[in-house]
Amino acid sequence: MAYVPGVALLAALVVGCSAGDDGNANGADSKAGSPTVSPAPPGKYLTLPAPCRAVPRSTLKDLLPGAAELPGDQQDKVFRGSAAVTYDTDRKVGCSWKSDAPSATRSLSIDFERVVSYDPAVSDDDRADTVYAKKEKAAGLSSSATPGPPDEKDKKGEESEGSEESEGSEESDASGKAKDPADADATGSADPSPSGSSSESGQDTDGAPGSSTSPEEALPSRILDNLGDAAFLQDLPKKADSTAQHHTVSVVFRTSNVVVTVRYAEQPALITQVPDGRELQEKAQALARKLAETLSE
């Protein structure tokens, strides 16, 4: 009987301590105004497709004329493509193809980049949008690059009077060929009225025999609608050397946390041959849309 009070007292102390601990923990958790940090959501894509198998052979036959006529082994080699060197296939992959035909050489490349944000406050999608925006700005198509200096308004007046050294030429500095009418078209989309750029390039080439402008004149570089979450097309017609033309079209788009780049180019065998810029644009866009659909499946 002498030990009963001591046992009761010990039990009471244990219960009291336990209650006190729980009360402190609950009190700390339930403090009003305590910050709650929720990590930004991850991107939709955790892996990337095999790039050299991302383009069906039927599509490659259309994009690489002449490849289907090659002997079996050579044909397989062309259609197999060449994978880009990468050290993390879950983050960045690519593949390229090239076909030499008697009339011209066509080349195609695709690149996939999966963007991951290591900042818990920034989502993968937001980080990917930043990566895409840098590419768009580099192409001279970002909204911040659209407004020009105040004196460009006066230069637009000079354009309407037929001046060849116009604003369109200055805006094409990124291509390095301000005097090439086709280059002016390539970056003309930075101007609020791209249709004006197209008409000017047509006037410049009317009296220029052997001009680099294709009979099927391509539209200028521009933002694209209904392709992923954001997309743009960059048209870069250039003279590769003194004997041939070289025309490259790039389509870049973002879907969630993946940024995709499609490059399609043609170099004719003869200087008298001119790449069909409109055809290059249409086929590059068609492939980009096909890749976007494949990613969304």
Side-chain angles (χ1 to χ4, degrees):
M1 297 296 293
Y3 296 102
V4 172
V7 173
L9 178 60
L10 179 60
L13 289 173
V14 171
V15 172
C17 291
S18 301
D21 292 340
D22 292 341
N24 290 339
N26 293 336
D29 291 342
S30 60
K31 283 183 180 179
S34 59
T36 301
V37 178
S38 299
K44 177 180 178 181
Y45 302 101
L46 301 178
T47 60
L48 292 171
C52 292
R53 294 199 297 268
V55 184
R57 177 168 287 214
S58 58
T59 302
L60 289 173
K61 287 181 178 179
D62 180 52
L63 294 173
L64 304 172
E69 285 72 39
L70 294 172
D73 292 344
Q74 296 182 32
Q75 183 180 139
D76 290 340
K77 183 178 180 180
V78 170
F79 290 142
R80 191 181 306 123
S82 177
V85 176
T86 181
Y87 300 98
D88 188 349
T89 54
D90 285 334
R91 292 294 301 276
K92 192 169 185 179
V93 295
C95 191
S96 59
W97 298 262
K98 185 177 180 180
S99 174
D100 294 317
S103 59
T105 295
R106 292 278 182 106
S107 59
L108 168 71
S109 69
I110 58 174
D111 293 289
F112 298 89
E113 180 178 0
R114 185 176 71 91
V115 181
V116 177
S117 172
Y118 294 101
D119 184 347
V122 179
S123 69
D124 292 348
D125 283 20
D126 288 342
R127 183 68 68 191
D129 190 51
T130 300
V131 172
Y132 166 83
K134 289 181 179 179
K135 294 179 181 291
E136 187 179 279
K137 183 177 181 180
L141 295 171
S142 64
S143 56
S144 61
T146 300
D151 60 346
E152 285 189 357
K153 293 181 180 179
D154 297 332
K155 292 178 181 179
K156 288 183 180 180
E158 295 175 2
E159 284 181 354
S160 62
E161 297 175 0
S163 173
E164 292 182 357
E165 301 295 329
S166 61
E167 174 193 355
S169 298
E170 293 186 2
E171 289 181 348
S172 63
D173 287 343
S175 68
K177 284 184 170 284
K179 295 182 180 181
D180 193 328
D183 285 345
D185 285 348
T187 54
S189 61
D191 192 288
S193 56
S195 60
S197 300
S198 298
S199 61
E200 288 166 11
S201 63
Q203 292 172 2
D204 289 342
T205 58
D206 284 345
S211 168
S212 63
T213 304
S214 169
E216 292 294 333
E217 187 176 355
L219 295 173
S221 302
R222 60 197 180 278
I223 302 298
L224 298 176
D225 297 325
N226 304 318
L227 176 55
D229 297 314
F232 70 87
L233 180 148
Q234 186 178 23
D235 189 90
L236 294 174
K238 293 182 180 180
K239 285 187 176 181
D241 51 42
S242 60
T243 59
Q245 307 289 340
H246 187 274
H247 196 128
T248 301
V249 172
S250 295
V251 176
V252 180
F253 70 91
R254 178 184 73 84
T255 175
S256 185
N257 61 318
V258 171
V259 178
V260 182
T261 301
V262 175
R263 294 184 185 88
Y264 188 42
E266 177 182 347
Q267 181 167 335
L270 302 175
I271 191 173
T272 54
Q273 296 173 321
V274 179
D276 188 337
R278 188 176 293 273
E279 179 195 11
L280 294 175
Q281 287 193 16
E282 290 174 352
K283 290 188 175 182
Q285 288 184 79
L287 175 57
R289 296 185 190 283
K290 187 172 295 186
L291 293 175
E293 293 173 0
T294 301
L295 284 170
S296 63
E297 291 176 355

